[in-house]
Amino acid sequence: MLEIDIDISTPCRLRARAQTDCLITGLLGPSGSGKTTLLRSLCGLNHHTGTIELNGIEQHNTATHKRPVTLVQQHTQLIPHWTVQQHISNTHHRACPIDQTTLIDAMGVTDLLRHKPHQLSGGQKQRVALLLGLLRSPQLLLLDEPFTALDNRSKRQLFPVIASALQQMSAQALLVSHQVRDIASLSDRIWELKSDGSLGQHSVQQGLRQYQGNRCHDVLLSAEFLGYEPQYQLSRFRMGTQQLLVSGQHNYAIGSLVRLAISADDVGLSLDAQQGSSFANDLSATICHIDKDDYGARVHCQIDDQIIEAHITDFSLQRLSLESGKPVRLIFKAGAVDVLGSPIKHD
């Protein structure tokens, strides 16, 4: 459990009161709002007043190098004349419960052990920095834009490795990223730094909406993995009693509950089931409510216990005579769905 109640006056003014027991908490806020300042304060690099409790132990008066906290930053700070192996040998915490060789392989670093930093690409440096952060076996891992040099495929491979390592260490992480899908993929809770320097706490879906405003149309879902159909290169999932198709191969155990994302801008509405359509997904739903915004309307549609939104124009809203309680069909392509990973923990 991480509990903070601190005041920061420089380089920016923050008043942060929050707590989380989630495995990974996302930290969102506009540029300059103080996200990095907050992380640096938590690990003792910035002056602050107040209290920081980690698993019930006060950290405020603990020296930076003695805190069970590790900071992994966007710009890695590797020692130029050390090889990757030397970094690992001088970093690995004896109490770390994770098998070092297994983690090195899972992080994609095995072939880099003899390399020095100048021989590594930006993405390889970030892999090494993340590996070193985990090998220090912290109780709290602070991640400040740690995936900026990695492509989406590489990130998707690393996300479950990082989450599994944190679970094995009984540790928590606080993640800063401007890539909203990274936050949505990993986080179970959102902290939002506001313009007045205060800190809001939200569910993942609510946090994304608060951060992005009316233009936030990402919808997060949980679905059961049913398998892969190689002849079509499609993966099949189940939401309640209905199935949906997603492009690409996804390697989960059958029955696994998986986190998905889809933009409301990619969801269409129809009053009738589609015939002869190229859309792979045609799901039955009921309209719960409709929110008007500056760009049209967000139609919230319920499928069993989950909500999918469709963002449509006022013209379509009136043409279809849409209203709460009306049954509709949700239509969207298999490629519109992004498979993020482990399921959202709903509040």
Side-chain angles (χ1 to χ4, degrees):
M1 168 73 79
L2 172 64
E3 300 179 79
I4 63 173
D5 185 353
I6 58 176
D7 284 298
I8 304 169
S9 57
T10 184
C12 58
R13 186 171 296 278
L14 298 177
R15 183 70 178 98
R17 289 191 180 99
Q19 65 179 34
T20 178
D21 60 358
C22 294
L23 185 71
I24 302 176
T25 299
L27 179 59
L28 289 171
S31 297
S33 61
K35 299 183 295 296
T36 295
T37 297
L38 178 58
L39 294 191
R40 288 176 61 84
S41 296
L42 294 180
C43 64
L45 295 176
N46 275 2
H47 176 73
H48 62 270
T49 59
T51 60
I52 299 172
E53 285 194 9
L54 187 56
N55 299 324
I57 299 176
E58 171 58 46
Q59 304 293 325
H60 178 68
N61 294 318
T62 304
T64 299
H65 68 282
K66 292 185 177 181
R67 295 189 185 191
V69 180
T70 292
L71 173 63
V72 177
Q73 302 180 86
Q74 174 181 353
H75 302 292
T76 58
Q77 297 178 334
L78 302 176
I79 298 174
H81 58 277
W82 279 5
T83 65
V84 172
Q85 181 60 68
Q86 286 175 306
H87 279 88
I88 293 171
S89 299
N90 287 282
T91 297
H92 189 207
H93 195 289
R94 285 178 295 177
C96 183
I98 307 171
D99 180 75
Q100 178 177 294
T101 302
T102 300
L103 186 59
I104 289 171
D105 183 61
M107 295 293 291
V109 177
T110 304
D111 294 335
L112 308 176
L113 297 179
R114 296 185 179 181
H115 289 55
K116 293 183 178 180
H118 73 273
Q119 297 172 300
L120 303 176
S121 69
Q124 290 171 335
K125 289 178 182 177
Q126 286 193 326
R127 285 176 181 271
V128 171
L130 286 164
L131 170 66
L132 298 177
L134 293 169
L135 288 177
R136 291 188 180 98
S137 195
Q139 293 180 29
L140 177 63
L141 181 63
L142 304 174
L143 301 171
D144 192 1
E145 299 284 359
F147 309 119
T148 52
L150 294 167
D151 58 67
N152 286 332
R153 181 178 180 181
S154 296
K155 287 191 287 188
R156 294 291 180 261
Q157 292 172 342
L158 289 183
F159 288 168
V161 176
I162 294 169
S164 176
L166 290 169
Q167 289 173 334
Q168 291 181 61
M169 296 186 297
S170 299
Q172 293 179 255
L174 195 57
L175 169 65
V176 170
S177 177
H178 286 294
Q179 299 299 315
V180 171
R181 286 287 172 96
D182 293 351
I183 295 284
S185 296
L186 283 166
S187 304
D188 300 310
R189 190 75 178 162
I190 297 292
W191 286 358
E192 179 205 6
L193 271 177
K194 301 179 181 179
S195 57
D196 63 359
S198 63
L199 191 62
Q201 302 180 73
H202 312 287
S203 67
V204 177
Q205 184 73 71
Q206 182 188 11
L208 297 180
R209 176 64 47 74
Q210 289 287 122
Y211 174 61
Q212 293 187 300
N214 286 339
R215 289 303 290 169
C216 171
H217 301 146
D218 270 358
V219 180
L220 306 180
L221 307 165
S222 293
E224 180 186 356
F225 180 66
L226 299 180
Y228 174 62
E229 299 184 6
Q231 67 271 36
Y232 303 121
Q233 298 182 16
L234 293 171
S235 293
R236 191 176 293 274
F237 292 84
R238 178 164 53 213
M239 286 180 54
T241 59
Q242 301 186 74
Q243 294 188 22
L244 67 154
L245 295 171
V246 178
S247 295
Q249 181 175 2
H250 301 282
N251 298 317
Y252 296 97
I254 302 299
S256 297
L257 194 61
V258 179
R259 185 181 309 200
L260 309 177
I262 185 170
S263 171
D265 291 321
D266 291 329
V267 179
L269 296 179
S270 173
L271 300 181
D272 304 299
Q274 296 295 293
Q275 300 292 331
S277 168
S278 65
F279 290 97
N281 294 295
D282 182 358
L283 306 181
S284 174
T286 302
I287 296 175
C288 343
H289 66 277
I290 299 171
D291 291 332
K292 299 295 291 293
D293 61 28
D294 296 336
Y295 309 96
R298 291 198 307 271
V299 183
H300 301 252
C301 304
Q302 186 161 357
I303 298 180
D304 292 289
D305 61 345
Q306 297 193 70
I307 302 295
I308 294 183
E309 298 177 19
H311 192 243
I312 63 174
T313 62
D314 285 329
F315 172 77
S316 294
L317 183 67
Q318 295 177 24
R319 183 168 61 90
L320 298 177
S321 300
L322 300 179
E323 59 185 15
S324 295
K326 190 166 188 173
V328 290
R329 309 291 300 191
L330 305 179
I331 52 176
F332 51 93
K333 295 180 178 180
V337 184
D338 192 5
V339 178
L340 301 182
S342 58
I344 296 282
K345 293 181 180 178
H346 297 287
D347 291 339

